[in-house]
């Protein structure tokens, strides 16, 4: 099926910074991605999962719009290579750039699926990000809008259970671009860190406000950094 047709095989993962987007993307794709306490997603990552036709599993990585041919790498090398290419495009500090990395992952018995990970939306610039908070927010929102706006994109909002959902920039953008919620999903992360009672009610209210059916709302617990370092599955 053409990527431009309306289907559920292109999912854009969007959310505020440090809400667990990359962890969720790992869980959906089964592909290890860069991890750490600091900002890891600083450029868009377009991950295309495809079935291997030659009996081997591997990945091809390239930069959108550049003439260099894709580099073939092993699946174990994906995280380090994405880190390396990100540093080449956006620098070794914390700058965010609109220079998409294209990652094609070929595996046996793999259904076609395209997952797009975007830098987390934030209003506060950190040292090394080269712009002030307002300009950084505008940059990331422009990226998010470009990937979420096409009608073939399913918008997967990732929101931490610890925040007030009404302040989520990604939810506000999603409601603007998909007011009927026909192609919107909501995933609430870090539910184990929600100290207050009433999480179920909070989810129900959010779903009602966004006109989401219950089957389009998910709650997950993200792996902690210690679990990542210990390779806990």
């Amino acid at each position: 099926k053409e990527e431009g047709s309306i289907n559920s095989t292109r999912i854009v993962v969007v959310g505020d910074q440090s809400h667990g987007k990359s962890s969720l993307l790992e869980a959906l794709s089964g592909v290890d991605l860069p991890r750490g306490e600091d900002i890891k997603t600083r450029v868009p990552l377009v991950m295309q999962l495809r079935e291997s036709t030659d009996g081997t599993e591997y990945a091809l990585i390239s930069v959108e719009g550049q003439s260099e041919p894709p580099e073939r790498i092993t699946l174990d090398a994906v995280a380090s290579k994405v880190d390396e290419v990100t540093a080449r495009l956006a620098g070794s500090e914390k700058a965010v750039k609109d220079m998409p990395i294209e990652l094609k992952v070929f595996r046996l018995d793999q259904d076609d699926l395209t997952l797009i990970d975007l830098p987390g939306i934030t209003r506060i610039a950190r040292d090394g990000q080269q712009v002030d908070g307002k300009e950084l927010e505008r940059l990331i929102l422009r990226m998010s809008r470009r990937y979420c706006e096409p009608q073939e994109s399913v918008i997967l909002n990732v929101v931490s259970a610890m925040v007030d959902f009404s302040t989520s920039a990604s939810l506000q953008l999603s409601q603007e671009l998909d007011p009927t919620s026909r192609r919107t999903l909501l995933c609430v992360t870090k539910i184990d860190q929600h100290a207050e009672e009433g999480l179920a009610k909070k989810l129900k209210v959010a779903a009602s406000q966004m006109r989401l059916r219950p089957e389009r709302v998910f709650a997950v617990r993200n792996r902690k950094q210690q679990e990542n370092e210990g390779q806990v599955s």
Side-chain angles (χ1 to χ4, degrees):
K1 184 179 285 188
E2 294 286 340
E3 284 287 329
S5 63
I6 296 178
N7 61 82
S8 60
T9 62
R10 170 184 158 121
I11 300 176
V12 182
V13 185
V14 61
D16 291 7
Q17 190 170 286
S18 301
H19 280 201
K21 293 185 294 73
S22 295
S23 299
L24 180 63
L25 192 67
E26 276 194 349
L28 291 173
S29 67
V31 177
D32 288 338
L33 296 171
R35 283 182 168 275
E37 297 291 349
D38 214 336
I39 303 169
K40 301 307 291 184
T41 306
R42 298 190 290 121
V43 300
L45 174 66
V46 181
M47 181 191 301
Q48 298 177 324
L49 305 179
R50 299 292 184 264
E51 183 173 8
S52 173
T53 58
D54 64 2
T56 62
E57 298 190 327
Y58 61 96
L60 298 175
I61 189 167
S62 60
V63 178
E64 183 181 292
Q66 295 194 358
S67 58
E68 292 86 352
E71 179 181 356
R72 179 169 173 148
I73 58 176
T74 65
L75 298 187
D76 290 342
V78 166
S80 60
K81 181 58 68 171
V82 169
D83 245 347
E84 176 188 319
V85 176
T86 297
R88 190 173 81 233
L89 297 174
S92 58
E93 297 295 326
K94 301 182 180 73
V96 173
K97 299 289 185 182
D98 189 1
M99 302 180 71
I101 294 175
E102 295 184 340
L103 179 69
K104 292 185 178 181
V105 177
F106 295 89
R107 291 188 298 204
L108 304 178
D109 300 319
Q110 173 68 59
D111 292 327
D112 283 1
L113 179 64
T114 297
L115 297 165
I116 300 174
D117 189 20
L118 300 172
I121 302 169
T122 180
R123 301 169 181 84
I124 301 173
R126 300 190 185 186
D127 291 341
Q129 291 193 312
Q130 302 175 359
V131 294
D132 64 26
K134 289 184 178 179
E135 179 56 34
L136 179 63
E137 181 185 24
R138 284 194 292 267
L139 170 64
I140 298 173
L141 283 173
R142 280 199 301 270
M143 281 189 264
S144 300
R145 183 181 298 277
R146 187 173 78 250
Y147 285 103
C148 291
E149 202 163 26
Q151 292 299 302
E152 70 270 17
S153 293
V154 173
I155 307 171
L156 175 52
N157 288 278
V158 180
V159 184
S160 169
M162 298 183 291
V163 304
D164 180 351
F165 292 172
S166 67
T167 66
S168 168
S170 70
L171 290 181
Q172 293 169 11
L173 179 66
S174 179
Q175 289 180 293
E176 175 192 340
L177 298 178
D178 183 32
T180 64
S181 295
R182 182 182 67 86
R183 52 191 181 89
T184 296
L185 303 174
L186 172 61
C187 180
V188 179
T189 60
K190 305 183 181 182
I191 58 172
D192 56 310
Q193 298 179 36
H194 187 270
E196 305 172 3
E197 294 183 358
L199 178 58
K201 181 178 179 181
K202 189 175 180 179
L203 295 177
K204 186 175 181 179
V205 169
S208 175
Q209 291 176 340
M210 295 181 65
R211 288 176 284 188
L212 286 171
R213 296 196 299 271
E215 62 269 23
R216 294 193 177 192
V217 180
F218 309 89
V220 300
R221 182 185 81 83
N222 296 75
R223 291 189 297 178
K224 298 180 175 64
Q225 184 62 23
Q226 298 93 323
E227 294 173 326
N228 297 332
E229 294 169 354
Q231 297 184 328
V232 176
S233 61

